[in-house]
Amino acid sequence: MEALCLLPAQPGEPRHALVTRTLRAAVTRGALPQGARLPGHRRLAEHLGVSRNTLVDALTQLELEGYVRAQGRSGTVISAPPLALTALNPGAPLPLSRWAQRALSGQVQDAGGKYAVDFRVGQPVPELYPEAAWTQALARRAAQALQSGGPDDPLGPLETRRALAAYLNAERGAQVTPDMVMLTSGTQSALDALARVFLEPGRTAAVEDPTYPGARAALAATGARVLPVPVDASGLRSDALPDRATLLYVTPGCHYPTGVTLQAAARQDLIRWARHAGAFVLEDDYAADLYHAARPPGVLQGLAPDRVLLLGSFSKSLAPVTRSGFLVGPPDVLRVLGATRPLTDRVPGRLDALALADVLASGAYSRHLRRARQVLAHRQEVLLRELRRALPSWPWAPAPGGLHLYVPLPAPWTEEDVQRRAALHGVALSTVGALGPAGHPAAVLLGFAHLTPEALRDGAARLGQALRGPAEPAGGC
C-alpha cells in the first residue's frame, strides 16, 4: 500500500481514468495480489491524493472489467490474478505475411528535408481547387447525406455514377453506363481491389517501364510475376508485351512520368494484344483532366469497353481531401468487385459522392478545369523560359499534360549527380530511377504546378548555377 502511487498522467487524461489505470497496473504486476482487500474508500482516496468520488468512479470501472469485487461492508477485494509477462525481445522481427513483405519491398521512399525551391512531384496545388463550388455542393447535400436510410450501394450512389458516366462519355470519349461505374477513394484503392481479385502467385501482370511505383507495388504484393514493358518516345512498345498476362497497367493519355501520349495505331495494337492474351488493361487516366491543351486525348476504354478497366481520381484536379475516384469496367467485373468490397474496403463517404455529382452535373467542374489549364500552361511557360535561359544546351521540352516536366539528362550526367548538385544549391527534384528497373534513360522530374512564378524563376536560376559546369566523370569524387 505504501508503494502505491499515481502513475504519470497522459495528455488529456481525466483524474478518474488515471486512478483506474494506476490500480489496474498494480493488479497486473502483482503489487495488489488476488484476494487482497483494499483499504476503505476514504483512506485509499487520501493516500492517492484524489477525491472519494473520483476513487469510487475508478473502482466502479475496475469492477466492470473484473479486476475488483465489492463485498458490501466487507470492503473491496482484488479478484484478478497478476499478468505473467515474459521478457520482450525488442529486436525480434514482426511475423509479417508474405503479402506485407512484398508490399513493403515495393515502396519508394522520397528523401525528406527542406529546400529553398522544391520541385519534387506529388505535391498538392491548393490554389487550383474549386473551393467555392465544392463547399457549396457540400452544404446543399449535407442534410440529404445524413438522412440516407438503408445499406449503401457497394458501387456508390446511383446519382453520382450517372453523373460520372455522362461526364466520361461527353468529355473523355468513353463508353460507360452507370452500372459500369464504381466509386473509389482514389486510383490506389482501385488498383489494390483489382490486384486482389485477379492476381495471385503463378499469374502475370505487366506494367510500363518506367511507371507509377504505387501500381507496380500493388500488383507485386499479390505474389504475381510483374513484367516491365519498355516505353520509348512513342509510348508503350507493344512489340515487347508478353504472350500471356492477366493484367496490364498503362497510362496512355499522359504516360507517367514521360508525358508521352499513346497514338492511335499503338492503341489498336494494344487492344488486339489484350484480346489475344486474355488480359484486362488497367487504364490509369492520369493527368488527363489537367491536359494543357483544350481537350485531352480520348480514353482507351472507348475502343474496347469489354477489355479496358478505366481508373481515375479527382485528388489532383478537385482536392486531395475528397479522396474521390472511380473505376469503370464491364458489369460482370463490377459485380465481383462490389461483392468482395465489404471484406477490404468501404464505400467512399456519401456526402462527398453526392457533392461530386453536383459539381459534375452543374458544369462547375468543367469550368474549373478550363481555368486550371490556363494556370498550369502559364507556370510551365515561365519555368521553360527560365530554364532555357539558365541552361540553353539542355533538352528542355514542354509536357502536354500533368504537373511536372520530364527532363532526359544529357550524357554524361547521372540522376544522382544532378540531384546532389541541385540540393547543394537549395533545390529538390525527383529522379526516374525509382520508377522502374535499371536500364531506362537517366532523367529527372521537375514538378511545377504547386510553385508560384517567382519560385519557378528562383528554382531555374539555382539549377543554372548548380548544373552550368561539366558533369563529373562516372566514379569521380
Side-chain angles (χ1 to χ4, degrees), residues 147-419:
Q147 294 170 2
S148 172
D152 289 332
D153 189 315
L155 301 182
L158 178 59
E159 182 179 353
T160 308
R161 292 188 282 121
R162 283 174 175 157
L164 263 169
Y167 173 79
L168 293 170
N169 292 337
E171 300 291 337
R172 304 295 296 113
Q175 294 189 51
V176 186
T177 55
D179 63 335
M180 298 170 65
V181 179
M182 182 174 84
L183 301 185
T184 70
S185 59
T187 301
Q188 194 64 42
S189 68
L191 286 168
D192 177 66
L194 291 167
R196 290 175 185 271
V197 165
F198 287 112
L199 295 180
E200 60 188 358
R203 293 190 177 183
T204 298
V207 298
E208 297 167 320
D209 175 32
T211 193
Y212 165 55
R216 187 174 60 244
L219 302 179
T222 64
R225 185 173 61 150
V226 179
L227 299 178
V229 181
V231 172
D232 59 22
S234 300
L236 182 81
R237 284 182 45 195
S238 57
D239 62 318
L241 287 164
D243 290 336
R244 285 281 182 267
T246 303
L247 299 177
L248 167 66
Y249 173 81
V250 293
T251 51
C254 182
H255 172 251
Y256 185 86
T258 67
V260 172
T261 297
L262 197 64
Q263 298 300 298
R267 290 173 178 237
Q268 293 170 1
D269 288 344
L270 190 55
I271 296 301
R272 281 192 287 268
W273 169 84
R275 297 194 188 285
H276 172 76
F280 280 115
V281 178
L282 310 187
E283 179 184 12
D284 184 348
D285 203 26
Y286 162 76
D289 280 349
L290 297 176
Y291 213 76
H292 302 159
R295 286 188 178 276
V299 294
L300 190 66
Q301 188 270 352
L303 299 177
D306 61 324
R307 284 287 100 192
V308 179
L309 309 179
L310 178 64
L311 320 178
S313 169
F314 295 96
S315 64
K316 290 183 175 62
S317 57
L318 192 55
V321 72
T322 67
R323 309 305 304 161
S324 295
F326 59 87
L327 187 159
V328 171
D332 56 342
V333 172
L334 270 289
R335 279 192 289 273
V336 173
L337 292 172
T340 57
R341 182 173 213 168
L343 300 179
T344 60
D345 192 16
R346 292 284 186 186
V347 180
R350 183 174 177 82
L351 176 56
D352 278 1
L354 294 175
L356 177 62
D358 279 358
V359 171
L360 290 173
S362 68
Y365 184 63
S366 296
R367 292 191 295 272
H368 151 68
L369 288 182
R370 288 194 290 271
R371 292 190 298 269
R373 287 166 182 159
Q374 292 174 356
V375 173
L376 291 176
H378 174 65
R379 292 186 179 183
Q380 178 176 232
E381 180 184 357
V382 170
L383 179 58
L384 284 171
R385 182 176 63 246
E386 298 300 321
L387 288 171
R388 287 165 178 161
R389 181 179 299 159
L391 295 166
S393 63
W394 281 58
W396 308 112
L403 310 175
H404 69 263
L405 290 182
Y406 174 82
V407 186
L409 299 183
W413 288 95
T414 65
E415 295 178 5
E416 295 76 13
D417 193 17
V418 170
Q419 191 173 47

Side-chain angles (χ1 to χ4, degrees), residues 72-96:
R73 292 183 177 275
S74 299
T76 302
V77 176
I78 304 300
S79 58
L83 179 63
L85 295 176
T86 57
L88 295 177
N89 179 5
L94 295 173
L96 298 179

